[in-house]
Amino acid sequence: MNVYDSQRIVDVLAPHGYAPTDTVDDADLVVVNTCHIREKAAEKVYSELGRLRQLSGRRESEGKPRLSLAVAGCVAQAEGEAMARRAPFLDVVVGPQGYHRLPELLARRTRASGCVVETSFPTDSKFDHLPTAASPAGVSAFLTVQEGCDRFCTFCVVPYTRGAEDSRPVAAVIAEAKELVANGVRELTLLGQNVNAYHGVGPDGRSWSLARLLAALAEIDGVWRLRYTTSHPADMADDLIRAHRELPQLMPFLHLPVQAGSDRVLEAMNRRGSADDYRRLVDRLRRARPDLALSSDFIVGFPGESDADFEATLALVRDVGFAQAFSFKYSRRPGTPAAVLRGQVAEAVKAERLDRLQALLSDQQQSFNAAFVGQQVEVLVDRPGRKPGQVAGRTAHLQAVHFDGPATLVGGRAVVKVLAAERHSLRATRPAADRVALGAVA
Ligand code: 5AD
Ligand code: SF4
């Protein structure tokens, strides 16, 4: 979502004469868009600000125009005035619900005002004020449909930094999707912190589910692929499961975080569902779409997690089999209920568990990819490859693929044969017939 927000910040600033630069050295304004989800991400912000301050000082001593500095995102939201005090050289500190006001906030900043801080949760949605997406998006684009979260998992800052659940109206989502498609986008990934809790108001005045929204988007000419992320297992409604059977554009890959495999830990996390609930949900999804591949997030070392609890996580991973996953050591976040729980787990134990979990997940990812060797897959070609004469893209299962082909393939689909699988990508070739046919046309 921060990638999406950063693009929207570009869109908001564009009418005011700003354009993105390739390097920080060329910038008149630097916006640091920040993440607060784990301590490590949040810590990076201040070291980055230290570097920017030095750059700003250098520029001043060279007599160049003053560099403006803004911090956006969830660290800005969480720290607010404290950040302005700790880094008084900043011009603006703005939370994720206020960035559409950046031009005005920058204009308000004077020597006398000091850093301008905007971290209120406005009653109207920022989406009512943002211009339609205008920055070049390539063939695959994110589209925020929902923001915020009401689930309050005990480890998570999101409900406090992004605020309460807010769904964009169906018409606004469809308008943005059409705009993106007109700019060459063929794959839309619908975004939300808890995207399957989507309940935006439809043109009929009723609340639409995510499944209904997906069906409407699938009808737009030029939408080849649809995805959505991130979902909460407890919000996987029946119609959404059915959509995986009924909508060919909905890709057979689902990021569905389970976090842990022990019921005791899941309860302490306030995840509202057992490990077996998750297993049953996965079964239902796979019955709806047999080639569905799954991805998840995991937290190891949640307060009170015992060796046996951790073994239950490994058992769940073995049972389900993931195509890919993200896993993290539990990070204590101030203000969240889990931060004050007894039984905080030692760093060394967390590190050891993370290693074991990641080794298992890595094996699963490797064998998932290896199963494609020798098969034909459809690739949405989204960029030139790393080597000259190569292009790269993604399969339906979100695997990165690279193969030899002309740059003219970028933006379209190609069917390729997989030659080899690495953990993070596939190497493929275009069947000879395809090349001949294209050659004949040329
Ligand atoms: N510590 C570790 N991981 C966390 N996540 C969220 N909060 C924390 C935390 N306090 C992880 C979850 C979530 C992902 C986006 O980040 O796994 O799904
Ligand atoms: Fe955080 Fe996701 Fe839980 Fe919401 S559902 S509180 S975003 S982990």
Side-chain angles (χ1 to χ4, degrees):
M1 191 170 280
N2 269 13
V3 172
Y4 175 90
D5 284 343
S6 298
Q7 283 167 351
R8 303 318 307 276
I9 289 173
V10 170
D11 295 338
V12 162
L13 291 168
H16 299 265
Y18 289 94
T21 64
D22 290 329
T23 71
V24 164
D25 297 309
D26 297 334
D28 302 309
L29 162 69
V30 176
V31 183
V32 184
N33 196 13
T34 61
C35 176
H36 199 236
I37 196 88
R38 284 172 293 276
E39 193 178 0
K40 211 159 134 193
E43 268 172 6
K44 281 190 200 158
V45 176
Y46 284 102
S47 46
E48 184 62 30
L49 292 183
R51 271 193 297 278
L52 286 169
R53 187 191 191 174
Q54 279 179 357
L55 172 70
S56 153
R58 259 201 321 277
R59 295 246 300 232
E60 227 160 286
S61 63
E62 289 166 8
K64 290 187 181 157
R66 191 175 165 278
L67 179 66
S68 302
L69 294 174
V71 180
C74 292
V75 180
Q77 183 67 37
E79 306 243 321
E81 296 288 348
M83 175 174 272
R85 276 195 301 276
R86 188 164 157 190
F89 52 88
L90 289 174
D91 295 285
V92 170
V93 171
V94 61
Q97 303 311 333
Y99 67 71
H100 58 290
R101 294 180 49 207
L102 248 176
E104 170 206 331
L105 300 172
L106 284 163
R108 242 174 45 205
R109 162 69 150 121
T110 58
R111 197 176 275 274
S113 75
C115 178
V116 177
V117 179
E118 174 53 61
T119 53
S120 60
F121 282 112
T123 46
D124 53 342
S125 162
K126 72 169 174 250
F127 292 111
D128 298 340
H129 304 283
L130 282 173
T132 8
S135 39
V139 68
S140 180
F142 293 130
L143 202 178
T144 292
V145 303
Q146 181 277 344
E147 202 177 336
C149 187
D150 296 343
R151 286 229 156 248
F152 290 92
C153 301
T154 55
F155 51 80
C156 186
V157 290
V158 166
Y160 313 98
T161 55
R162 287 269 176 184
E165 272 175 17
D166 175 31
S167 296
R168 288 176 74 185
V170 173
V173 173
I174 292 187
E176 190 165 323
K178 285 186 172 161
E179 185 91 9
L180 289 166
V181 171
N183 288 328
V185 170
R186 297 289 169 260
E187 177 177 74
L188 292 171
T189 302
L190 309 189
L191 293 182
Q193 269 80 39
N194 185 12
V195 72
N196 56 342
Y198 179 84
H199 58 269
V201 56
D204 53 2
R206 295 212 172 145
S207 152
W208 282 32
S209 66
L210 185 65
R212 202 157 167 206
L213 179 68
L214 284 163
L217 290 168
E219 280 182 11
I220 299 175
D221 241 7
V223 172
W224 296 343
R225 292 180 166 192
L226 288 168
R227 306 178 185 278
Y228 61 93
T229 197
T230 289
S231 296
H232 193 296
D235 286 311
M236 284 304 297
D238 293 348
D239 65 342
L240 188 53
I241 298 175
R242 254 196 330 272
H244 282 274
R245 188 199 307 277
E246 291 168 358
L247 290 181
Q249 290 93 336
L250 190 52
M251 289 293 102
F253 179 92
L254 181 61
H255 184 61
L256 190 62
V258 63
Q259 312 295 356
S262 148
D263 289 348
R264 226 170 50 85
V265 172
L266 287 170
E267 197 181 338
M269 287 177 163
N270 190 31
R271 290 291 292 180
R272 302 191 175 272
S274 67
D276 278 347
D277 289 335
Y278 189 83
R279 287 182 178 88
R280 279 190 289 269
L281 176 59
V282 168
D283 284 347
R284 288 181 63 205
L285 282 159
R286 284 183 169 148
R287 277 203 297 278
R289 180 85 202 226
D291 62 342
L292 186 82
L294 285 148
S295 153
S296 179
D297 292 339
F298 293 95
I299 295 177
V300 300
F302 185 81
E305 184 187 72
S306 66
D307 285 338
D309 291 323
F310 175 65
E311 290 299 330
T313 298
L314 295 179
L316 180 71
V317 172
R318 284 191 206 100
D319 287 349
V320 173
F322 291 94
Q324 188 213 295
F326 303 97
S327 42
F328 315 100
K329 288 189 271 189
Y330 168 71
S331 167
R332 207 169 170 172
R333 308 308 287 128
T336 59
V340 292
L341 286 180
R342 270 181 308 196
Q344 300 285 330
V345 175
E347 268 313 299
V349 175
K350 287 186 200 170
E352 198 247 354
R353 288 180 187 166
L354 189 66
D355 278 352
R356 284 182 62 201
L357 176 61
Q358 290 188 337
L360 174 60
L361 290 166
S362 163
D363 282 352
Q364 291 193 340
Q365 185 167 9
Q366 191 102 46
S367 42
F368 177 77
N369 286 343
F372 286 85
V373 175
Q375 287 193 30
Q376 297 218 328
V377 292
E378 189 196 84
V379 180
L380 183 64
V381 186
D382 57 16
R383 60 189 184 279
R386 257 167 301 174
K387 296 187 194 135
Q390 266 194 353
V391 290
R394 297 263 171 193
T395 66
H397 292 102
L398 213 57
Q399 296 139 302
V401 189
H402 46 99
F403 59 96
D404 287 341
T408 49
L409 291 177
V410 174
R413 284 182 279 203
V415 175
V416 298
K417 187 173 168 199
V418 179
L419 297 174
E422 284 127 43
R423 179 151 76 93
H424 291 295
S425 66
L426 305 175
R427 194 154 50 77
T429 182
R430 273 191 305 151
D434 192 11
R435 283 205 294 270
V436 172
L438 279 175
V441 171

